[in-house]
Amino acid sequence: MRLDHEFTVPAPIGEVWQAVVDPERVAPCMPGATLTKVEGDKFSGTVKVKLGPISLLYKGNGEFLEKDDAAHKVTIKASGKDSRGAGTAAATVTLTLTETDGGTHGAVATDLSITGKPAQFGRGLISEVGGKILDTFAGCLSGKLAPAASPAPSPVAAEPTPEPTSTTEPVAKPAPAVKPAPTTAEINTDPKPAAASSDRPPLRSVPAAPETEAIDLLDYAGQSVLKRVAPVLLGIAAVVGLVAIIRALRK
């Protein structure tokens, strides 16, 4: 399914761009996400998801397919699988940033394929939930990129007036110590030249992050689910009330 969303961050486009192409800066702002490994343009991580009382843990990989610095456009392909084998998710996400008055506008186009329990939401509800998740992401990113308030300058204490010193004979300073010449053993302990670096991108093991709270999809879609379920609940209540009235008349 194709999903389109937008968000705005009150920060310069250059700062937002540097953040969105850095997995270690972006991951903490995605609800439920934890980054575990980065290797060049590839990365791995997990996403915790809750559907009310049901908990799911998706483990997956992602890769930057395109990074256009001039157009501020990035394309990411990611896929994951529930650790219990209950479902899969795969997406190709294209993010394009444009400069606006006082901030940066982001347009997100997502080609999503999802199976398992989250697929029961349907396209409309998934799109709505995705928009709310992006709003949470944008708010977190705004907080990280907001300029820190500079601390107020501390008052400069007045320098004390130096007291007059008595005239005394100058004290002779000791001669500097002469450093002994290096021995032959010390001269021959130069480190070996570093080996030539390979073409493979460096593998970075991301430091263990604090326990990430799962993203509860029902929290994001609560009102929408209630609107859809409310007519059914009213119908059930009406039937139950009618049955109670019939039983009372028979007595």
Side-chain angles (χ1 to χ4, degrees):
M1 67 182 73
R2 166 71 181 243
L3 305 174
D4 294 287
H5 299 96
E6 298 179 350
F7 66 90
T8 302
V9 178
I13 189 171
E15 294 184 12
V16 178
W17 173 253
Q18 292 300 321
V20 297
V21 296
D22 184 353
E24 293 188 42
R25 297 180 66 183
V26 171
C29 284
M30 291 303 297
T34 300
L35 189 67
T36 56
K37 185 177 68 175
V38 178
E39 186 176 4
D41 287 338
K42 299 181 180 181
F43 54 91
S44 302
T46 62
V47 177
K48 293 181 179 181
V49 178
K50 286 180 63 180
L51 287 170
I54 303 173
S55 297
L56 304 173
L57 177 64
Y58 285 87
K59 296 181 179 180
N61 305 294
E63 180 181 4
F64 287 91
L65 300 181
E66 177 188 10
K67 291 181 183 179
D68 190 337
D69 294 335
H72 295 108
K73 180 181 178 180
V74 60
T75 302
I76 303 173
K77 184 177 182 180
S79 61
K81 183 179 181 180
D82 175 31
S83 59
R84 302 176 184 174
T88 62
T92 299
V93 182
T94 301
L95 168 63
T96 305
L97 301 179
T98 54
E99 193 170 6
T100 59
D101 294 337
T104 300
H105 174 266
V108 184
T110 305
D111 288 324
L112 176 66
S113 174
I114 188 170
T115 65
K117 295 183 181 299
Q120 66 186 339
F121 280 98
R123 184 186 184 283
L125 199 53
I126 288 177
S127 179
E128 181 179 345
V129 171
K132 293 180 180 180
I133 292 175
L134 274 181
D135 289 342
T136 303
F137 165 79
C140 173
L141 194 61
S142 300
K144 286 183 175 292
L145 298 180
S150 55
S154 57
V156 180
E159 297 182 358
T161 305
E163 298 180 359
T165 57
S166 58
T167 304
T168 57
E169 292 291 334
V171 180
K173 296 182 179 180
V178 179
K179 184 177 181 180
T183 63
T184 305
E186 294 174 341
I187 294 176
N188 295 332
T189 55
D190 293 337
K192 295 181 180 180
S197 59
S198 61
D199 295 335
R200 185 178 179 182
L203 175 62
R204 289 185 288 157
S205 180
V206 181
E211 188 70 15
T212 304
E213 184 178 355
I215 173 175
D216 195 334
L217 298 183
L218 291 183
D219 285 345
Y220 283 87
Q223 294 298 325
S224 299
V225 173
L226 183 60
K227 291 178 182 178
R228 297 185 181 188
V229 176
V232 178
L233 295 178
L234 290 176
I236 294 175
V239 172
V240 171
L242 181 60
V243 171
I245 293 174
I246 294 175
R247 287 184 176 180
L249 292 177
R250 287 179 177 178
K251 292 179 180 180

